[in-house]
Amino acid sequence: MKTVLACFRPLRALKDEILLGEGDASKRMYFVISGCLRIYFLQADGSEATRYIAFENNFATGLMAFISQQPSLEYIQALENSELLYISHDHFYRLLDTIPGWEKFFRSYLEHAYVTNTNRLMSFITMDATERYQLLMKEHPHITQRLSNKMVANYLGISQEALSRLKGRINKK
């Protein structure tokens, strides 16, 4: 445990601070102690699409770029003032080579990321906006409680106006 913890460094990120930009090398994996990070990318029309939101006790990184060491296609942004720990790519992979439990952690992390991303993709394909919002309220109510309507709408892939109308319809029921 001491060996693992020695590889992490503290970092304070200010609200709206960009920790990883498109085209940058993804050299860090973050652990959120307090606050919130989002991972997003730019669509062809220049609009933002949020892929993942990490609150306390969750890891966040531009995983494809972290693994491949290719330039990132994603951004990581602090949505709140955040207290983080980070581990460098080099330290991360050194732990994989030396600590068997770290390899088990990484496999579990990858499995969770795969399931989360697949479920999210399937929700966009098989559900309408109302169903996605209701699922979000059921599975991750803290997202709607802590984040602005603008960010919730972005996460759901709808406009703020559509979210307001949707919430109005749901609240009338």
Side-chain angles (χ1 to χ4, degrees), residues 89-103 106:
H89 179 272
D90 291 342
H91 279 117
F92 187 93
Y93 278 89
R94 199 168 304 130
L95 287 177
L96 283 177
D97 291 337
T98 58
I99 310 278
W102 192 251
E103 192 167 339
F106 190 41

Side-chain angles (χ1 to χ4, degrees), residues 28-58:
R28 294 178 174 177
M29 180 178 284
Y30 300 96
F31 178 78
V32 181
I33 296 171
S34 67
C36 178
L37 300 179
R38 84 166 169 140
I39 299 175
Y40 70 96
F41 57 91
L42 297 180
Q43 298 183 94
D45 65 2
S47 63
E48 297 174 359
T50 299
R51 179 179 67 75
Y52 180 69
I53 297 173
F55 289 101
E56 289 81 6
N57 301 314
N58 282 287

Side-chain angles (χ1 to χ4, degrees), residues 20-27 40-41 61-75:
L20 176 70
E22 182 178 10
D24 294 345
S26 182
K27 296 187 179 289
Y40 70 96
F41 57 91
T61 190
L63 193 56
M64 286 188 342
F66 187 80
I67 291 170
S68 71
Q69 288 298 278
Q70 297 295 311
S72 179
L73 300 174
E74 299 178 307
Y75 293 79

